């Protein structure tokens, strides 16, 4: 999340959403973009002061699924429904663990390989230099062999 304070969005009875930080009406898509940008967003029912954040985020996911953007695997969605919050926590924990494994692999295996590839331009320059020297030697030998004939 960003270091800024939580953005509060009020939801009115007419289902309109009002961003109190930027003083403007927003859509579910706008809230999704805020979250993707790292903003901490809280949605509050204006009349009851009930926190509607979880329900609104679920609605955003639903809308993205309908549009076929950022489609979640069915297994993941089933796990979330079957296990409630615990399943989601487990999925995030496993994902974090996998990211850690990938990061370690990159540090241990990929980074040294990339470093090796960075040295290739000098290797290529050396080969070109050797080719030129061989050409010079071949010309020299060719001219010597014509003189001896």
């Amino acid at each position: 999340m960003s270091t800024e304070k939580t953005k509060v969005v009020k939801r009115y009875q007419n289902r309109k959403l009002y961003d109190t930080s930027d003083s403007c009406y927003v859509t579910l898509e706008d809230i999704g973009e805020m979250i993707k940008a790292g903003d901490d967003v809280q949605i509050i029912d204006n009349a009851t002061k009930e926190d509607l954040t979880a329900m609104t985020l679920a609605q955003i996911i639903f809308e993205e699924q309908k549009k076929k953007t950022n489609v979640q695997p069915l297994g993941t969605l089933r796990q979330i429904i079957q296990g409630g919050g615990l399943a989601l926590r487990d999925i995030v924990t496993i994902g974090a663990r996998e990211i850690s494994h990938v990061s370690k692999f990159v540090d241990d295996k990929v980074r040294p390989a990339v470093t090796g590839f960075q040295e290739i331009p000098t290797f290529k320059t050396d080969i070109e230099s050797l080719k030129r020297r061989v050409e010079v030697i071949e010309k020299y030998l060719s001219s010597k062999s014509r003189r001896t004939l």
Side-chain angles (χ1 to χ4, degrees):
M1 298 287 166
S2 69
T3 56
E4 296 179 25
K5 67 178 191 167
T6 301
K7 282 185 141 191
V8 175
V9 175
K10 291 184 179 181
R11 184 178 185 134
Y12 292 94
Q13 280 185 326
N14 61 4
R15 304 185 80 184
K16 284 194 172 192
L17 300 162
Y18 187 77
D19 180 349
T20 60
S21 301
D22 293 338
S23 300
C24 63
Y25 287 100
V26 293
T27 64
L28 288 175
E29 193 171 300
D30 293 333
I31 294 171
E33 292 303 317
M34 289 177 204
I35 292 168
K36 288 175 186 173
D39 292 337
D40 189 8
V41 180
Q42 183 178 27
I43 295 87
I44 304 291
D45 183 285
N46 189 52
T48 66
K49 306 303 181 216
E50 179 185 0
D51 187 343
L52 303 175
T53 307
M55 181 187 70
T56 305
L57 297 183
Q59 193 175 2
I60 291 168
I61 292 168
F62 173 73
E63 293 299 326
E64 285 186 354
Q65 291 290 126
K66 278 188 357 186
K67 289 189 244 173
K68 301 287 188 218
T69 61
N70 197 20
V71 177
Q72 301 300 315
L74 286 177
T76 303
L77 296 174
R78 282 188 182 107
Q79 281 183 312
I80 291 169
I81 292 168
Q82 288 170 346
L86 294 177
L88 188 55
R89 186 200 67 215
D90 291 345
I91 291 168
V92 170
T93 302
I94 290 168
R97 191 176 319 128
E98 290 302 315
I99 290 170
S100 175
H101 289 306
V102 169
S103 178
K104 184 172 177 6
F105 176 79
V106 167
D107 287 342
D108 292 349
K109 306 288 187 213
V110 176
R111 196 173 314 276
V114 170
T115 302
F117 285 132
Q118 290 173 343
E119 295 172 6
I120 288 177
T122 59
F123 181 70
K124 184 177 178 181
T125 304
D126 292 344
I127 289 176
E128 292 299 321
S129 175
L130 287 173
K131 281 182 182 179
R132 286 192 296 277
R133 291 174 73 186
V134 167
E135 288 172 1
V136 169
I137 292 170
E138 285 175 340
K139 285 180 184 176
Y140 175 76
L141 291 175
S142 177
S143 70
K144 285 290 187 185
S145 67
R146 277 188 246 147
R147 286 186 193 160
T148 57
L149 293 176

